[in-house]
Amino acid sequence: MLAGLPRNLNAKHENIHFICCSDQMDALGMSGPIADELTGLEMDGIEVYDAYLNEQVLVIAPLLCIFCDNPQASKLVNHLGGSANKYCRFCMADRDTSPCLVCEERQQSLQQMEIIRSQRTEALREQQRTLYEVREVSNPLLHVPSDLYRCLPVEALHTIPLGICKAFLKDVMPKLSPTQKREVLARICAFNHSGYKVKIHGNVCYHYQSFVSRDYKAWMQMAIFILSPYLSNGQLIVLVNLSKVFQIAYSSFFELSKAEAWHQICVDFVHSVRDFMPKMLRKQKVHYILHLVQCMQDYGPSSSFCAERPESTV
């Protein structure tokens, strides 16, 4: 996608350019030639014709942002991903000791990869992988001049609707009795949708695991009104804070003056999960909420770096 376009244009299919895909190799395997071209565009630039100036101009085109889900983002920086103890690709937060904190930033992993390769035995190499939380596989993208960690923002689609919202329902729904589930369905049918653009489709009590983003977006707009009688006080606090985070993630604007207040909302959500639904706290996506506002400071509203539209193009 081209950077710098207005939001009403950058999500149009004609402005999303398909480069390549393969069922024989992963993204890292295809990244070699692309990484060389990205380096050339940033270091040397490219001459293009400017119709307004009626002359050739030099354009410097650095890599600004990569859209992908969380497992793929971890692969692109050689991070071990959600299974690692230090499961965050942005910072050194530990799953067991510091899931509610934004810790020291990660550094490029080239030097760490060389240390792992230098070990004589596989057991020693595995020990170093666990220590540094990186894989020593070849990755041409790590040689691109851009800061690859900053180029991989928290992507709202897979982190919130398909991640945390799904996990919340997975925790709540199995605990409802058959009578309560029938009541939930009755409340949905009786709900006044006149102020909403979307409706909940399907049986949320049983089929929530097969919901797509459209369904979760509809659900999060009315979940408090429907589920509140069946939640404990702690679960209700988590749902209220999650609704606030959802509003931030799908806001159509971002103001730097509100960054601190919005980050505090994200912190409050993570702390409420820690206090009332601690099993969810071990999920990588809950911790990523702490990095959401920083990514919005870099790129604007999360709709600007959401993978939903590019995925629909493919």
Side-chain angles (χ1 to χ4, degrees), residues 150 185 214:
R150 294 293 290 272
L185 293 177
R214 177 187 65 250

Side-chain angles (χ1 to χ4, degrees), residues 27-91:
L28 289 182
M30 295 186 290
S31 65
I34 298 173
D36 292 340
E37 292 182 8
L38 290 173
T39 300
L41 287 172
E42 183 165 352
M43 301 302 293
D44 305 321
I46 182 173
E47 277 198 3
V48 298
Y49 175 74
D50 188 313
Y52 181 77
L53 297 176
N54 195 28
E55 62 181 23
Q56 295 288 116
V57 297
L58 179 67
V59 174
I60 303 296
L63 174 66
L64 296 178
C65 183
I66 300 175
F67 300 165
C68 57
D69 60 15
N70 294 310
Q72 187 62 49
S74 293
K75 284 183 181 179
L76 293 180
V77 291
N78 284 40
H79 179 238
L80 290 181
S83 62
N85 229 22
K86 293 181 174 61
Y87 57 2
C88 180
R89 68 177 182 270
F90 298 100
C91 72

Side-chain angles (χ1 to χ4, degrees), residues 248 258-271 293:
I248 290 172
K258 295 184 177 180
E260 186 175 345
W262 284 14
H263 178 67
Q264 187 58 48
I265 289 173
C266 296
V267 171
D268 291 343
F269 165 70
V270 175
H271 285 179
V293 174

Side-chain angles (χ1 to χ4, degrees), residues 90-115:
F90 298 100
C91 72
M92 301 300 289
D94 190 283
R95 183 194 305 274
D96 298 316
T97 60
S98 54
C100 300
L101 300 175
V102 175
C103 301
E104 175 189 359
E105 286 188 2
R106 285 188 176 273
Q107 303 299 320
Q108 293 281 14
S109 53
L110 288 172
Q111 185 178 359
Q112 298 166 353
M113 289 164 56
E114 288 302 320
I115 294 173

Side-chain angles (χ1 to χ4, degrees), residues 209-282:
Q209 296 203 62
S210 60
F211 274 15
V212 296
S213 63
R214 177 187 65 250
D215 302 313
Y216 282 113
K217 288 177 184 177
W219 173 249
M220 282 306 300
Q221 294 180 60
M222 54 195 80
I224 289 179
F225 305 106
I226 293 169
L227 274 186
S228 55
Y230 311 102
L231 301 178
S232 66
N233 288 337
Q235 290 173 327
L236 187 58
I237 291 172
V238 172
L239 181 57
V240 169
N241 288 330
L242 176 57
S243 298
K244 293 178 181 178
V245 170
F246 192 89
Q247 182 182 11
I248 290 172
Y250 285 94
S251 174
S252 60
F253 69 95
F254 176 74
E255 296 179 12
L256 284 174
S257 60
K258 295 184 177 180
E260 186 175 345
W262 284 14
H263 178 67
Q264 187 58 48
I265 289 173
C266 296
V267 171
D268 291 343
F269 165 70
V270 175
H271 285 179
S272 66
V273 171
R274 176 198 63 192
D275 295 338
F276 303 112
M277 302 179 74
K279 285 185 180 179
M280 281 178 58
L281 192 61
R282 295 184 63 81

Side-chain angles (χ1 to χ4, degrees), residues 270-306:
V270 175
H271 285 179
S272 66
V273 171
R274 176 198 63 192
D275 295 338
F276 303 112
M277 302 179 74
K279 285 185 180 179
M280 281 178 58
L281 192 61
R282 295 184 63 81
K283 293 186 176 294
Q284 179 192 52
K285 295 173 182 179
V286 173
H287 173 80
Y288 278 161
I289 295 299
L290 297 174
H291 295 281
L292 177 62
V293 174
Q294 177 60 57
C295 296
M296 295 175 76
Q297 287 179 281
D298 290 340
Y299 296 105
S302 66
S303 58
S304 303
F305 51 90
C306 182

